[in-house]
Amino acid sequence: MSGMTFEVDTPHGRMMATMLAGIAQFERDMLSERVRSALAAARARGRKLGRETGVRPKSDRLSPKVLALVAEGRSYRWIARDLGLSKNTVAAIVGRAKADTVRVIEMAP
């Protein structure tokens, strides 16, 4: 083994381990503080943080087919395999359709 070694069974070894752990924690806290500072500066500059809302061309194109197959009672796995989507994408399409339906019903007088 290369590098510094010490016995943690002795008082001197425990002191060294404690000091090294303290320095490591200090470095971790400093890194976290720098990241928070950079994010705050980006927000102040008007930068939008986080993942961008993406366009879903394939799932948007196939959503009418997915909803029709769900209405027929097909399983999400079968629909996904048949249309070349993932099961989670099928579930997301159905979830967005349900959310849109709820929103329309809430707006109705």
Side-chain angles (χ1 to χ4, degrees):
M1 184 160 96
S2 63
M4 185 174 68
T5 62
F6 51 88
E7 296 290 325
V8 291
D9 297 338
T10 65
H12 293 95
R14 282 193 299 273
M15 181 191 69
M16 285 298 295
T18 302
M19 288 175 52
L20 291 175
I23 292 169
Q25 184 63 45
F26 173 73
E27 283 296 322
R28 180 176 162 80
D29 291 342
M30 292 300 293
L31 175 67
S32 178
E33 186 177 316
R34 285 192 301 268
V35 168
R36 279 195 305 269
S37 174
L39 290 174
R43 275 190 211 100
R45 287 191 305 268
R47 181 96 171 152
K48 184 180 174 192
L49 301 176
R51 190 171 174 177
E52 291 184 23
T53 55
V55 182
R56 303 172 298 264
K58 186 175 181 182
S59 66
D60 287 343
R61 185 181 72 242
L62 294 174
S63 65
K65 289 182 183 178
V66 169
L67 296 174
L69 291 169
V70 167
E72 289 178 13
R74 303 282 185 176
S75 72
Y76 288 7
R77 287 180 193 267
W78 186 91
I79 295 168
R81 188 188 66 230
D82 194 43
L83 298 179
L85 299 170
S86 74
K87 179 181 67 72
N88 290 338
T89 302
V90 172
I93 290 170
V94 172
R96 285 193 299 269
K98 286 181 181 177
D100 290 343
T101 304
V102 169
R103 231 176 289 147
V104 169
I105 292 172
E106 288 175 353
M107 291 180 165

